[in-house]
């Protein structure tokens, strides 16, 4: 197994950073008055790890016996929706966004079904079951609305743990029913600690320089840092001397796109960029990630006075991408905008002021 | 005032530059800025000039037919007429208008921004060029009789031919009238379309070869029946017991079928949409009592003689609808065993309903005949009816009716009631009244919208007309616009040069792209949960009209360098959906070991897997297979998932590049090795477990138009069910129970034994 998964902490005590949060979770779990919770924070910060540690604290090692199940729901138009459930005797984990627009159906049927049955295991530490809802920020408004009443009505049988990247897409009634748990990205020292710890458990020495470099590259994403560490170790076993961290394939590809945008500003070039975007999108790179990566690269390379504008438009079109259907339209609109800005700057005159 | 402000701005720019760059450089820059500024002012001035005067020029009252014998080509944009209007003017005065300049062209009327290809052709042929004013002048001054000898002769000859044809018609009618009973033989009570229906093959306008094919097939029928339809004949038609004539309305399909049958001595039995043609009735021997043996019943025994040879004309096959359930299927069955020829007639060959007939019939497609083939016939009819209608008016009628002869005749007969003459404008309005609604393909629509004329200052189309184009196909047109808007050379930047041109181009593209982005937001409201369909006009404007209004110009299909492309979005989107589903499968399987969601798997794990799962196979070959498989088992990944992981790579990790690096031998060894061992499975997919729900038998069948198809499917299903029933106890059919694989050990053991013996 990869190191990330092999050396994942299993109990709240094993966690390396955010000690305060761990302590709070521990006391919550032992108090017997466990609330609904919403874990949020950037990816690779350790949300899921903390959730599973909390569950273990609540129910004991039994929760680690996971099995996967697939359930079929019927959408209102009689289409079959397949949903994967990960469950133990004490909890169940769903990703409603798998059902796309029909996530409401999943939430309604599944939650009610779970909520209406009590915990059967008499030896269970807690009387309630826990439902973990992944990717809660991509729940549709309807699904969130469906969640509201259920959360209150079935409190005796059921606790819900939502897991999201940001709370901005969640409606206020949901937020007010949950205890918000922010899992921030680890600081550089925290990451350094974890890396050293992993190295120790694997059984090799990690030179501080290499650790520095990895932490720098990972930008607060613990998962990425450990994966990079393993890749580097495979590449050059002694980890001394100059190291070059290989970027993931999609990132180098995005950088190429950024270079294309700066290299030339013409319709032909836009079409070229469009086909590259299609390539990225069709290979499951989320559009927001594409926009972010390309924009950061473009901003790195242009004049100081353009940076703010480019970022402004990137933010502008990112919102539109979330609201719209066809992501490529907005990506392309941003590219054209950037090219136009860049060219106007290049000729040193801002024509739009004159009109 | 504004100029001052501009100069100030320039100065600001200049000072900002001076701080950052060298003195010399900034002076150059200053000069350039000043230049740009001046040209910008020039542009401003040009913008404020009055737009090309639309309809400002009066068309002179020239003599009728004053342009007769002249051939015109219009190119470029005229300042006060739209292209169509100018063409109409030329036609009104008897001129001929062609699209491409050739050596026969008499004048080229040249507007602004003519296409380079046309200009080259003009130069090559050394053609006379006119501008708009000269063209109008020509109409005002040219005399009608001003035709050279050759054309005069030609015209005279045509006239003579028309007179001749009309005389013949009259003669025939008189003969017919003599034969007819005096009481009901009143020809004037007949519709023109029946009165002037072709009496012989030479009267049929256009599709000569197709009609000949039909006649030949009927002619050969007895011999092909004798040979059991084994001899293909000249064009392969004799292999078939039936033909399917397809073509748009009014091109003479039914007429030709009847005519050919009559000429070959068959008695036509016609069944059309007015008869019930359901499955039962068609099967029970074609309810002949109900058929139109009109000629026979009329007592006109001489013209239609019942012979032992008869043929079925199954007219309007695509009109078999709700009432005729199973009719097409039964007809098809009938065709397969028919002993008499069957002629099927339909409008659209591609129709779903006609699918069964495609393989059993010989197809004879009828084209719309070109104008010149119809013209003389219509002219002679008009002459006979004593109507004075010039040729160019007839042409106009035929074109606007889209070569529908029946419609032209009907229009003329209606017109005859009120007047004996018709001029150009009257014909235009008449045709407009009888206009047929036609659907354009998205390609045509895109060409039109992004082309140089729809948005040009002299265009007459209203916003509503432009929106109609979007509504012709509202799901495809926006995609086409998005795919192609970058391919045009916008007319709006035409008069600019250098940097301004580039900047203007970018600005236009920016406008178009941001409007497309707006359009997508509206689209998501329309197709979202609330379905605001009332926003469609807004979507039409944002997704189609606004982008094209800034990007219109030469380019897409107007001689530009980029030809039109089909929207990539469709293909890319389905590819994305497919890979997304596969990635979801991977994530579900890995979930037991991994905490990340789908995008996290794609972001971090797939690049991280590369050195573990893919690279070893490329570098170490078969020896690495075992290690790779062990790694896959840790995450419950299957061989298909391995394929997906490779497929998901981009850039350097693109599947084509990667798969090239792994030798085929390694690949097969890897697959074999994987298949030969047992692997842990995370879970079974739901559809692997449950049986497909059985079809509910009985109950009222829904009233479907294509009921015959449903029947067929149901039959197939029941067959499959039977098979399933049989295999019920067969273990191999159950996916969960794998038959123990015969191990290769026995094989190798025997090999070893052999080797021992050899030793």
């Amino acid at each position: 197994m990869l190191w990330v998964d092999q050396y994942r902490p299993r109990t709240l005590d094993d966690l390396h950073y955010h000690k305060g949060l761990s302590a709070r979770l521990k006391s919550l779990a032992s108090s017997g008055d466990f609330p609904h919770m919403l874990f949020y924070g950037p990816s690779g910060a350790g949300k899921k790890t903390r959730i599973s540690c909390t569950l273990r604290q609540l129910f004991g090692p039994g929760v680690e016996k996971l099995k996967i199940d697939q359930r079929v729901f019927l959408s209102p138009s009689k289409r079959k929706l397949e949903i994967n459930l990960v469950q133990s005797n004490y909890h169940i984990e769903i990703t409603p966004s798998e059902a796309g627009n029909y996530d409401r159906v999943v939430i309604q049927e599944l939650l009610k079904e779970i909520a209406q049955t009590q915990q059967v295991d008499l030896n269970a530490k807690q009387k309630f079951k826990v439902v973990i809802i992944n990717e809660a920020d991509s729940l549709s408004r309807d699904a969130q609305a469906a969640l509201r009443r259920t959360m209150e009505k079935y409190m005796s049988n059921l606790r819900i743990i939502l897991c999201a990247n940001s709370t901005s897409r969640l409606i206020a009634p949901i937020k007010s029913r949950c205890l918000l748990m922010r899992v921030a990205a680890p600081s550089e020292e925290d990451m350094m600690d974890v890396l050293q710890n992993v190295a120790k458990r694997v059984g090799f020495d990690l030179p501080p320089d290499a650790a520095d470099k990895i932490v720098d590259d990972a930008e607060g994403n613990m998962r990425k840092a450990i994966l990079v560490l393993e890749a580097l170790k495979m590449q050059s076993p002694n980890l001394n001397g100059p190291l070059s961290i290989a970027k993931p394939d999609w990132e180098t590809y995005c950088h190429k796109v950024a270079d294309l945008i700066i290299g030339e500003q013409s319709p032909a070039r836009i079409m070229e960029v469009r086909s590259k975007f299609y390539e990225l999108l069709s290979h499951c790179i989320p559009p927001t990630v594409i926009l972010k990566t390309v924009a950061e690269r473009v901003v790195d390379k242009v004049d100081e006075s353009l940076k703010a504008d480019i970022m402004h438009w990137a933010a502008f079109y990112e919102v539109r991408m979330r609201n719209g259907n066809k992501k490529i339209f907005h990506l392309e609109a941003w590219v054209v905008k950037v090219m136009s800005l860049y060219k106007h700057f290049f000729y040193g005159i801002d024509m739009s002021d004159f009109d | 005032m504004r100029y001052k402000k501009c100069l100030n701005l320039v100065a600001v720019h200049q000072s900002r530059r001076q701080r950052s760059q060298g003195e010399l450089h900034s002076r150059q820059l200053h000069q350039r800025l000043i230049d740009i500024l001046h040209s910008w002012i020039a542009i401003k001035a040009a913008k404020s000039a009055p737009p090309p005067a639309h309809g400002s020029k009066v068309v002179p009252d020239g003599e009728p037919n004053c342009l007769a014998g002249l051939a015109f080509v219009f190119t470029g944009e005229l300042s006060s007429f739209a292209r169509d209007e100018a063409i109409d003017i030329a036609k009104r005065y008897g001129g001929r208008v062609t699209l491409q300049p050739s050596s026969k062209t008499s004048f080229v009327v040249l507007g602004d921004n003519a296409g380079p290809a046309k200009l080259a052709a003009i130069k090559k042929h050394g053609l006379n060029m006119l501008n708009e004013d000269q063209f109008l002048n020509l109409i005002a001054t040219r005399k009608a009789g001003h035709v050279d000898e050759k054309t005069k002769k030609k015209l005279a000859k045509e006239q003579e031919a028309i007179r001749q044809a009309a005389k013949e018609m009259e003669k025939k009618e008189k003969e017919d009238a003599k034969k007819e009973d005096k009481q009901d033989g009143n020809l004037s009570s007949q519709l023109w379309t029946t009165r002037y229906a072709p009496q012989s093959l030479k009267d049929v306008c256009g599709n000569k070869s197709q009609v000949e094919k039909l006649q030949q097939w009927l002619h050969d029928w007895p011999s092909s029946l004798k040979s059991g339809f084994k001899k293909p004949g000249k064009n392969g038609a004799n292999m078939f017991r039936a033909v399917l004539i397809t073509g748009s309305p009014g091109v003479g399909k039914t007429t030709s079928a009847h005519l050919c049958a009559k000429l070959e001595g068959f008695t036509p039995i016609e069944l059309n949409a007015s008869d019930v043609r359901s499955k039962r009735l068609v099967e029970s021997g074609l309810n002949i009592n109900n058929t139109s043996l009109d000629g026979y019943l009329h007592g006109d025994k001489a013209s239609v003689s019942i012979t032992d040879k008869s043929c079925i004309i199954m007219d309007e096959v695509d009109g078999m609808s709700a009432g005729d359930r199973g009719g097409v299927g039964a007809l098809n069955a009938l065709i397969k065993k028919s002993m008499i020829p069957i002629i099927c007639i339909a409008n659209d060959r591609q129709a779903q309903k006609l699918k069964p007939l495609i393989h059993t019939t010989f197809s004879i497609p009828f084209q719309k005949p070109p104008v010149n083939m119809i013209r003389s016939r219509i002219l002679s009819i008009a002459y006979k009816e004593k109507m004075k209608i010039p040729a160019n008016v007839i042409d106009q009628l035929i074109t606007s009716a889209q070569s529908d002869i029946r419609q032209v005749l009907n229009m003329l007969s209606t017109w005859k009631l009120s007047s004996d003459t018709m001029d150009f404008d009257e014909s235009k309005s008449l045709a407009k009244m009888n206009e047929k609604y036609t659907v354009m393909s998205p390609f045509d629509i895109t060409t039109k919208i992004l082309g140089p004329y729809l948005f040009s200052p002299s265009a007459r189309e209203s916003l509503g007309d432009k929106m109609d184009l979007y509504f012709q196909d509202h799901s495809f047109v926006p995609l086409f616009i998005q795919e192609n808007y970058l391919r045009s050379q916008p007319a709006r930047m035409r008069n600019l040069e250098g940097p301004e041109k580039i900047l203007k181009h970018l600005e236009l593209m920016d406008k178009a792209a941001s409007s497309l982005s707006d359009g997508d937001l509206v689209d998501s409201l329309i197709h979202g949960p609330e379905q605001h369909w009332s926003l469609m006009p807004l979507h039409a404007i944002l997704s189609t009209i606004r982008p094209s209004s800034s990007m219109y110009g030469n380019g897409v299909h107007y001689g530009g360098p980029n030809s039109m492309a089909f929207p990539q979005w469709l293909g890319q989107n389905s590819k994305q959906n497919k890979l997304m589903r596969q990635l979801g499968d991977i994530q579900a399987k890995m979930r037991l070991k991994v905490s990340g969601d789908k995008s996290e798997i794609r972001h971090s794990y797939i690049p991280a897997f590369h050195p573990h799962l893919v690279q070893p196979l490329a570098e170490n070959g078969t020896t690495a297979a075992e290690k790779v498989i062990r790694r896959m088992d840790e995450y419950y990944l299957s061989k298909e998932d391995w394929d997906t992981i490779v497929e998901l790579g981009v850039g350097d990790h693109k599947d084509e590049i990667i798969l090239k690096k792994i030798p085929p031998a390694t690949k097969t060894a890897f697959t074999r090795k994987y298949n030969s061992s047992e692997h842990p499975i995370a879970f079974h997919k739901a559809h692997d477990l449950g049986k497909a729900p059985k079809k509910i038998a009985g109950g009222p069948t829904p009233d479907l138009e294509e009921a015959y198809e449903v029947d067929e499917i149901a039959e197939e299903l029941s067959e499959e069910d039977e098979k399933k029933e049989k295999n019920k106890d067969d273990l191999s059919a159950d996916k969960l129970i794998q038959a123990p694989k015969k191990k290769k050990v026995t094989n190798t053991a025997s090999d070893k034994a052999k080797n021992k013996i050899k030793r």
Side-chain angles (χ1 to χ4, degrees):
Chain A
M1 239 191 296
L2 295 174
W3 295 348
V4 217
D5 305 316
Q6 203 170 354
Y7 302 113
R8 181 191 307 282
R10 303 222 177 276
T11 62
L12 285 171
D13 297 322
D14 290 348
L15 292 167
H16 288 95
Y17 52 89
H18 297 331
K19 297 276 188 201
L21 187 65
S22 309
R24 205 167 339 136
L25 284 172
K26 203 169 174 181
S27 61
L28 270 174
S30 53
S31 72
D33 185 20
F34 195 75
H36 297 305
M37 287 213 263
L38 165 59
F39 281 81
Y40 66 100
S43 55
K47 296 181 294 296
K48 288 269 181 63
T49 309
R50 271 158 190 78
I51 291 172
S52 63
C53 291
T54 314
L55 285 178
R56 194 188 151 107
Q57 188 75 33
L58 277 171
F59 298 103
V63 282
E64 283 172 8
K65 281 191 188 134
L66 293 175
K67 62 168 182 170
I68 304 184
D69 221 352
Q70 198 167 42
R71 285 281 298 272
V72 178
F73 295 90
L74 278 186
S75 75
S77 55
K78 303 287 177 218
R79 218 180 55 145
K80 275 188 194 163
L81 307 168
E82 289 179 356
I83 298 292
N84 295 315
L85 309 174
V86 179
Q87 53 185 341
S88 72
N89 284 339
Y90 310 102
H91 85 287
I92 191 162
E93 188 182 321
I94 51 175
T95 314
S97 60
E98 280 173 23
N101 286 330
Y102 299 108
D103 50 359
R104 187 175 58 94
V105 185
V106 177
I107 291 277
Q108 281 174 342
E109 293 201 9
L110 196 68
L111 278 192
K112 267 197 203 139
E113 183 190 311
I114 297 163
Q116 284 165 353
T117 53
Q118 276 196 330
Q119 175 65 271
V120 191
D121 187 357
L122 288 174
N123 299 327
K125 280 189 182 173
Q126 311 287 346
K127 266 167 69 186
F128 55 82
K129 279 188 176 182
V130 174
V131 175
I132 301 172
I133 297 178
N134 285 328
E135 297 175 39
D137 44 356
S138 55
L139 281 179
S140 67
R141 286 185 79 86
D142 290 351
Q144 294 187 36
L147 206 54
R148 282 169 66 170
R149 189 69 188 128
T150 323
M151 285 174 93
E152 283 177 348
K153 211 171 161 190
Y154 302 108
M155 188 73 182
S156 59
N157 287 347
L158 173 82
R159 298 288 186 280
I160 289 173
I161 297 183
L162 298 164
C163 182
N165 278 341
S166 100
T167 57
S168 60
R169 299 259 290 169
L170 289 171
I171 57 175
I174 296 281
K175 280 190 263 186
S176 83
R177 281 168 173 78
C178 292
L179 180 67
L180 300 193
M181 287 286 170
R182 177 160 183 267
V183 185
S187 69
E188 291 194 1
E189 293 82 50
D190 293 338
M191 290 180 81
M192 214 79 92
D193 266 3
V194 175
L195 286 180
Q196 291 295 356
N197 182 279
V198 170
K200 208 171 81 192
R201 285 170 74 180
V202 179
F204 68 94
D205 270 340
L206 179 64
D209 282 354
D212 250 356
K213 204 154 185 187
I214 293 169
V215 168
D216 208 37
D217 178 71
E219 291 164 338
N221 188 336
M222 201 64 239
R223 177 186 290 123
K224 194 176 169 191
I226 300 174
L227 284 169
V228 165
L229 172 68
E230 189 171 359
L232 271 184
K233 177 74 182 161
M234 265 187 87
Q235 234 173 54
S236 49
N238 57 359
L239 289 174
N240 285 319
L243 292 171
S244 67
I245 293 173
K247 295 233 179 281
D249 51 350
W250 55 270
E251 203 172 327
T252 39
Y253 203 79
C254 284
H255 288 174
K256 256 186 231 163
V257 175
D259 296 345
L260 283 178
I261 295 173
I262 294 171
E264 188 189 311
Q265 292 80 34
S266 68
R269 185 50 69 88
I270 298 172
M271 282 193 272
E272 203 178 324
V273 170
R274 180 198 289 172
S275 66
K276 298 245 185 251
F277 276 151
Y278 271 132
E279 178 83 9
L280 283 165
L281 284 172
S282 65
H283 287 83
C284 303
I285 310 294
T288 46
V289 173
I290 299 175
L291 183 57
K292 186 168 160 254
T293 321
V294 176
E296 275 170 358
R297 174 77 164 193
V298 169
V299 161
D300 270 353
K301 297 216 159 176
V302 297
D303 191 274
E304 199 68 39
S305 57
L306 278 176
K307 289 185 180 184
D309 269 349
I310 290 176
M311 269 308 170
H312 164 77
W313 287 113
F316 180 81
Y317 282 112
E318 201 209 325
V319 177
R320 291 179 150 233
M321 261 186 329
R322 284 181 191 277
N323 294 330
N325 272 339
K326 304 191 174 77
K327 318 293 180 193
I328 191 89
F329 285 29
H330 308 288
L331 282 173
E332 192 168 293
W334 176 76
V335 170
V336 180
K337 187 68 96 188
V338 169
M339 284 191 174
S340 183
L341 283 172
Y342 186 83
K343 207 68 179 177
H344 278 104
F345 174 78
F346 181 77
Y347 285 116
I349 187 162
D350 191 1
M351 303 272 285
S352 58
D353 275 1
F354 291 79
D355 248 324
Chain B
M1 189 59 194
R2 283 199 93 182
Y3 182 68
K4 240 181 200 171
K5 200 173 143 195
C6 301
L7 271 185
N8 277 342
L9 264 168
V10 172
V12 170
H13 268 281
Q14 186 195 0
S15 60
R16 205 191 280 167
R17 289 289 139 154
Q18 264 173 354
R19 256 175 277 136
S20 60
Q21 285 163 334
E23 182 74 20
L24 184 79
H25 188 80
S26 85
R27 198 173 297 152
Q28 282 172 349
L29 193 82
H30 185 210
Q31 194 51 48
R32 206 170 73 201
L33 282 176
I34 295 285
D35 286 348
I36 289 171
L37 192 62
H38 279 300
S39 54
W40 172 72
I41 287 158
I43 298 162
K44 269 276 161 190
K47 265 188 194 163
S48 58
H54 190 192
S56 62
K57 286 174 192 161
V58 185
V59 183
D61 252 345
E63 282 189 34
N65 264 336
C66 62
L67 302 182
L70 298 181
F72 290 89
V73 168
F74 288 86
T75 180
E77 227 176 85
L78 301 175
S79 62
S80 64
F81 299 106
R83 172 76 71 93
D84 293 343
E85 291 172 317
I87 290 176
D88 276 354
I89 294 169
K91 280 187 178 166
R92 177 178 307 154
Y93 291 105
R96 203 158 55 81
V97 178
T98 54
L99 289 175
Q100 293 300 328
S102 70
S103 55
K104 285 179 188 159
T105 311
S106 345
F107 290 106
V108 176
V109 182
L110 204 59
D112 295 339
N113 314 304
K118 275 189 184 165
L119 286 178
I122 292 165
K123 213 171 204 178
K124 193 179 137 203
H125 298 298
L127 300 174
N128 298 324
M129 284 189 279
L130 299 176
N131 64 21
E132 201 179 62
D133 292 330
Q134 285 167 328
F135 172 61
L136 294 178
N137 208 21
L138 185 75
I139 294 172
T141 53
R142 205 176 139 95
K143 289 282 176 292
H146 201 75
V147 188
D148 61 11
E149 278 308 303
K150 215 171 154 192
T151 31
K152 233 182 205 168
K153 256 186 202 163
K154 210 171 137 199
L155 279 177
K157 211 173 162 189
E158 268 173 29
Q159 285 288 332
E160 188 51 42
I162 288 165
R163 227 165 281 151
Q164 201 64 39
K167 237 179 229 166
E168 244 169 62
M169 261 186 247
E170 208 150 355
K171 216 168 100 190
K172 204 161 200 178
E173 241 167 52
K174 267 181 196 153
E175 277 172 22
D176 286 354
K178 262 184 211 163
K179 284 184 202 162
E180 296 266 331
D181 227 346
K182 291 282 185 279
Q183 285 114 7
D184 67 0
N186 194 358
L187 269 176
S188 58
S189 68
Q190 274 180 344
L191 282 177
W192 284 25
T193 41
T194 26
R195 201 191 311 173
Y196 298 112
Q199 302 291 323
S200 65
L201 279 185
K202 98 178 175 348
D203 290 346
V204 180
C205 299
N207 293 309
K208 287 268 189 283
S209 67
Q210 308 293 20
V211 178
E212 271 164 25
K213 257 189 219 169
L214 178 63
Q215 198 186 0
Q216 188 64 39
W217 174 73
L218 279 171
H219 183 80
D220 293 345
W221 171 267
S223 64
S224 21
L225 181 65
K226 211 175 274 173
S227 71
F229 300 95
K230 293 277 159 35
K231 292 174 187 156
K234 207 164 60 183
N235 42 28
N238 294 350
M239 302 275 281
F240 295 93
R241 290 166 193 258
V243 291
L244 175 62
I245 304 177
T246 50
S248 45
V251 293
K253 298 183 296 294
T254 314
T255 320
S256 319
H258 276 277
L259 203 56
C260 287
K262 216 166 100 185
L263 287 175
E264 287 303 323
F266 285 93
T267 312
I269 300 169
E270 186 186 330
L271 287 153
N272 53 35
S274 63
D275 304 309
V276 179
R277 295 174 292 184
S278 70
K279 189 178 176 194
R280 198 167 52 81
L281 285 173
V282 171
E283 274 173 351
S284 68
L286 285 168
N287 44 342
I288 293 207
N289 313 335
N290 208 5
T291 52
S292 45
L293 283 169
D294 281 343
Y296 184 71
L297 294 176
H298 272 254
D300 183 8
K301 281 159 197 154
S303 68
V304 180
S305 55
I306 299 282
T307 57
D308 54 342
K309 283 164 79 181
S310 51
C311 80
I312 296 173
I313 297 179
M314 194 53 90
D315 206 352
E316 295 152 26
V317 180
D318 43 5
M320 281 185 163
S321 57
D324 307 331
R325 182 180 299 155
V328 176
L331 174 62
N332 203 27
L334 183 68
I335 286 173
K336 281 176 190 162
K337 53 182 195 218
S338 167
M339 304 300 276
I340 54 171
I342 298 178
I343 302 171
C344 305
I345 302 174
N347 284 132
D348 182 12
R349 189 177 154 66
Q350 252 64 47
Q352 192 65 31
K353 225 177 264 180
L354 300 183
K355 278 273 159 66
L357 292 181
I358 284 179
H359 297 295
T360 51
T361 56
F362 180 70
S363 169
I364 301 184
F366 270 44
Q367 309 292 335
K368 284 178 183 169
V371 177
N372 53 13
M373 287 190 149
I374 307 173
R375 189 199 297 134
S376 62
R377 172 112 189 128
I378 302 281
L379 274 174
S380 34
I381 290 169
Y383 182 82
K384 203 207 138 246
E385 289 290 336
K386 302 193 177 58
M387 293 174 81
K388 281 208 178 88
I389 302 175
N392 59 345
V393 175
I394 295 283
D395 281 2
Q396 156 64 28
L397 275 180
I398 297 171
T399 341
S400 46
Q402 288 162 351
S403 300
D404 183 341
I405 307 168
R406 180 167 46 207
Q407 197 184 8
V408 174
L409 279 180
N410 281 335
M411 281 196 283
L412 281 179
S413 75
T414 323
W415 190 259
K416 166 79 170 135
L417 296 177
S418 60
S419 160
D420 278 344
T421 57
M422 188 191 290
D423 68 12
F424 191 83
D425 293 327
E426 282 168 340
S427 84
K428 217 153 181 185
S429 62
L430 181 64
K432 181 98 188 155
M433 276 194 296
N434 290 295
E435 197 178 28
K436 279 188 286 189
Y437 181 76
T438 51
V439 179
M440 296 164 80
S441 80
F443 285 97
D444 297 338
I445 296 171
T446 315
T447 315
K448 185 158 186 198
I449 294 182
L450 282 176
Y453 302 117
L454 190 64
F455 290 93
S456 69
S458 57
R460 287 281 167 88
E461 281 86 356
S462 67
L463 186 62
D465 293 340
K466 289 167 191 162
M467 272 162 68
D468 277 347
L469 289 173
Y470 161 88
F471 281 108
Q472 295 240 351
D473 193 339
H474 59 83
S475 56
F476 263 100
V477 171
L479 288 176
F480 267 89
I481 297 291
Q482 193 267 340
E483 185 67 39
N484 292 302
Y485 76 101
L486 294 170
R487 291 169 199 265
S488 68
Q489 278 158 1
R492 287 184 194 277
M493 59 167 207
R494 203 160 42 206
N495 301 322
L496 306 175
E497 274 314 316
E500 295 107 76
K501 185 169 183 171
I502 296 168
L503 289 181
K504 183 76 189 174
H505 198 174
L506 280 165
E507 209 173 283
L508 288 171
M509 286 192 291
D510 182 27
K511 263 189 198 158
S514 55
S515 176
L516 283 171
S517 158
D518 291 340
D520 183 52
L521 294 186
V522 177
D523 183 52
S524 71
L525 285 178
I526 294 174
H527 291 106
E530 281 157 57
Q531 308 211 335
H532 294 284
W533 289 97
S534 59
L535 290 177
M536 284 198 88
L538 179 63
H539 188 231
I541 302 281
L542 290 176
S543 71
T544 306
I545 294 162
R546 242 181 95 199
S548 344
S549 79
S550 32
M551 296 303 288
Y552 80 93
N554 286 317
V556 184
H557 261 223
Y558 273 90
N562 303 311
S563 58
M564 199 183 336
F566 188 79
Q568 285 178 65
W569 188 85
L570 297 159
Q572 296 285 356
N573 190 47
S574 68
K575 188 178 173 192
Q576 181 183 358
N577 287 340
K578 182 188 131 222
L579 283 175
M580 215 40 141
R581 208 175 44 242
Q582 291 175 348
L583 182 65
D585 280 354
I586 294 185
Q587 195 262 343
K589 286 177 184 167
M590 288 173 67
R591 177 62 196 89
L592 289 179
K593 295 290 171 70
V594 168
S595 65
D597 56 12
K598 251 197 299 200
S599 66
E600 211 33 59
I601 299 277
R602 172 64 193 96
H603 278 157
S604 311
Y605 277 92
I606 286 183
F609 274 151
H610 188 75
H612 295 286
L613 295 187
V614 186
Q615 222 169 329
L617 288 178
E619 283 169 3
N620 304 337
T622 324
T623 49
E626 200 169 332
K627 221 173 143 195
V628 169
I629 290 173
R630 208 180 321 127
R631 182 71 70 170
M632 281 161 65
D633 285 347
E634 280 169 8
Y635 285 101
Y636 305 107
L637 297 176
S638 68
K639 176 69 177 44
E640 287 83 56
D641 299 326
W642 185 87
D643 291 336
T644 307
I645 288 173
V646 172
E647 205 181 342
L648 277 170
V650 291
D652 296 338
H653 288 187
K654 197 168 167 49
D655 51 353
E656 289 160 20
I657 302 171
I658 295 291
L659 289 177
K660 231 175 250 169
K661 280 185 194 161
I662 303 175
T666 313
K667 253 180 272 177
T668 48
F670 172 56
T671 316
R672 205 177 308 132
K673 187 141 195 157
Y674 187 87
N675 290 339
S676 68
S677 53
E678 302 286 321
H679 304 283
I681 296 171
F683 68 103
H684 281 290
K685 297 190 96 181
H687 59 74
D688 291 344
L689 289 170
K691 262 193 179 172
K694 263 201 173 174
K695 243 194 150 177
I696 303 158
T701 34
D703 189 18
L704 289 173
E705 237 184 77
E706 257 85 355
Y708 62 94
E709 278 184 356
V710 174
D711 289 348
E712 283 168 16
I713 292 165
E715 274 169 27
E716 281 169 25
L717 265 184
S718 60
E719 271 177 30
E720 269 176 74
D721 279 359
E722 277 168 29
K723 270 184 207 161
K724 268 183 197 163
E725 224 87 63
K726 271 183 208 161
N727 292 344
K728 221 176 192 175
D729 298 327
D730 193 349
L731 284 180
S732 63
D734 199 328
K735 279 183 183 169
L736 279 185
I737 305 173
Q738 273 190 338
K741 277 195 178 124
K742 276 178 194 162
K743 280 182 185 158
K744 285 194 172 171
V745 183
T746 52
N747 220 341
T748 46
S750 65
D751 277 355
K752 269 179 196 168
K754 270 180 204 166
N755 283 345
K756 267 183 190 170
I757 293 164
K758 269 180 192 169
R759 269 176 218 159

